[in-house]
Amino acid sequence: MLLWLLPFLGACDGGIFGTGDGGDIINPDNVEGSDPTDGAGDGDGQTDAGDTPGPDDADNGGTAGGSETAPQARGFENLLAGSDRETPLLSLINLSQSPITAFADADTTALFTPAIQPGDVSSLVAVPLNSQSLSLIEADEGRPQLLLSPLNLGVSSVSTLIVRDRFDETDTDSDTSGAEPDSPAPLVEILALPSRLSPGSDALARVRILQAYAIAGDTRSAQMLLLPAGDDPGGSEVSLGSVSPADFQQIPDYREVTAGSYAVQDSLQRFSPVPVTLAASQSYTLILDGSDDVIMIVQDSESGDPR
């Protein structure tokens, strides 16, 4: 019997007793300190919760310290000479429900003090020449709303910031987990556009129009017409272009018109014609603001006030 068993014992060479040279098979993913993303991996792109986020994750998260959320960011350049000042000028029209202020670069002193309240228009403020960025902040909670960077404001430039509540409110209240979102959606949308203060050398007025909110709930795009009217009618009929709330971020161009009195008319006839008087050599911004008065008229000059 012993002689009969010897061949079988030799063939087992560690397979039963674990003393052979094959050893146990160790999965590299289970080795402490190994990184399954190095090498071939399993290709599913997943990482552990403690892994350092990549660039895409940083877009949805906060700052490096993790205590603040990063605002939306975009560049802005205004090299148009709009005044006779030797420094860039800035104003803010707040059509939102949040008080807004601004900071240049890392300066801790706000450009607008106090913050511009809902429905108000700021006075002109000087922005330090060669500023690299401009931060727009919701003042009550100190929440960043927009970072204009890179920023390039030329000498004598005049810039206007127009603020409205977010037009697209989707996904802002969809989180039911009870946890604070990593990067809350901005409360407002902000349009930055060049403006003109310096009077022209001719007798023409310059006027532009944009739409911040719907007209009686109607968000359709429509032509806005400038029709001669009143006691001192201006020149011929002028189309100011097609506008809608969805086009809020599009920068409107000034149209040159003969000075005089006009009426702004909607091609869809959603409101009665709004009278407006345009003075020679002055520039105006007309804003469809969703109010009962329909249009906010802003004279883009140092002495001009919204009416």
Side-chain angles (χ1 to χ4, degrees), residues 37 49 85 100 118 120 131 144 159 162 176 190 195 219 224 244 254 284 287 295 298-299:
T37 62
R85 303 286 188 89
I100 303 294
D120 288 350
S131 295
S159 302
I162 302 178
T176 58
I190 302 171
S195 296
T219 61
M224 295 297 152
S244 75
Y254 285 110
Y284 300 85
I287 305 173
I295 295 179
V298 179
Q299 185 173 342

Side-chain angles (χ1 to χ4, degrees), residues 156-179:
S156 303
S157 65
V158 181
S159 302
T160 300
L161 304 174
I162 302 178
V163 185
R164 74 169 182 183
D165 293 317
R166 280 181 58 85
F167 181 64
D168 181 7
E169 300 291 347
T170 58
D171 297 331
T172 56
D173 299 318
S174 60
D175 186 4
T176 58
S177 65

Side-chain angles (χ1 to χ4, degrees), residues 31-303:
V31 178
E32 183 177 356
S34 66
D35 186 353
T37 62
D38 292 337
D42 57 10
D44 63 2
Q46 296 179 352
T47 59
D48 294 337
D51 289 346
T52 302
D56 292 339
D57 297 321
D59 290 341
N60 298 322
T63 59
S67 59
E68 297 180 358
T69 56
Q72 55 177 321
R74 66 173 184 264
F76 178 64
E77 180 178 78
N78 181 10
L79 303 180
L80 176 68
S83 78
D84 56 2
R85 303 286 188 89
E86 295 183 356
T87 183
L89 298 177
L90 181 72
S91 66
L92 189 147
I93 301 171
N94 191 359
L95 304 179
S96 76
Q97 300 180 58
S98 303
I100 303 294
T101 191
F103 295 85
D105 295 332
D107 195 346
T108 58
T109 302
L111 293 174
F112 302 109
T113 304
I116 308 306
Q117 297 299 311
D120 288 350
V121 178
S122 77
S123 57
L124 287 159
V125 298
V127 180
L129 195 60
N130 299 322
S131 295
Q132 300 298 308
S133 66
L134 193 67
S135 302
L136 282 300
I137 307 293
E138 192 282 323
D140 281 348
E141 299 181 5
R143 180 172 161 184
Q145 296 298 303
L146 175 66
L147 176 66
L148 292 177
S149 177
L151 180 71
N152 186 14
L153 301 180
V155 174
S156 303
S157 65
V158 181
S159 302
T160 300
L161 304 174
I162 302 178
V163 185
R164 74 169 182 183
D165 293 317
R166 280 181 58 85
F167 181 64
D168 181 7
E169 300 291 347
T170 58
D171 297 331
T172 56
D173 299 318
S174 60
D175 186 4
T176 58
S177 65
E180 290 293 330
D182 290 337
S183 182
L187 300 173
V188 299
E189 291 180 291
I190 302 171
L191 170 65
L193 67 165
S195 296
R196 291 190 58 168
L197 303 186
S198 301
S201 58
D202 48 38
L204 299 177
R206 292 167 178 82
V207 59
R208 61 187 177 184
I209 193 167
L210 60 93
Q211 186 169 357
Y213 294 109
I215 300 172
D218 191 336
T219 61
R220 288 179 295 171
S221 177
Q223 290 283 331
M224 295 297 152
L225 305 173
L226 200 61
L227 307 176
D231 297 334
D232 184 21
S236 59
E237 175 182 322
V238 176
S239 172
L240 297 177
S242 180
V243 296
S244 75
D247 298 329
F248 175 71
Q249 291 291 352
Q250 295 185 7
I251 297 177
D253 295 325
Y254 285 110
R255 307 292 176 96
E256 294 185 340
V257 301
T258 303
S261 56
Y262 292 87
V264 180
Q265 180 174 298
D266 172 21
S267 64
L268 297 179
Q269 299 183 350
R270 292 169 294 183
F271 58 84
S272 300
V274 177
V276 55
T277 299
L278 306 177
S281 301
Q282 298 298 315
S283 300
Y284 300 85
T285 297
L286 311 181
I287 305 173
L288 295 163
D289 61 359
S291 68
D292 292 339
D293 295 332
V294 183
I295 295 179
M296 171 184 280
I297 304 169
V298 179
Q299 185 173 342
D300 301 334
S301 67
E302 296 176 80
S303 60

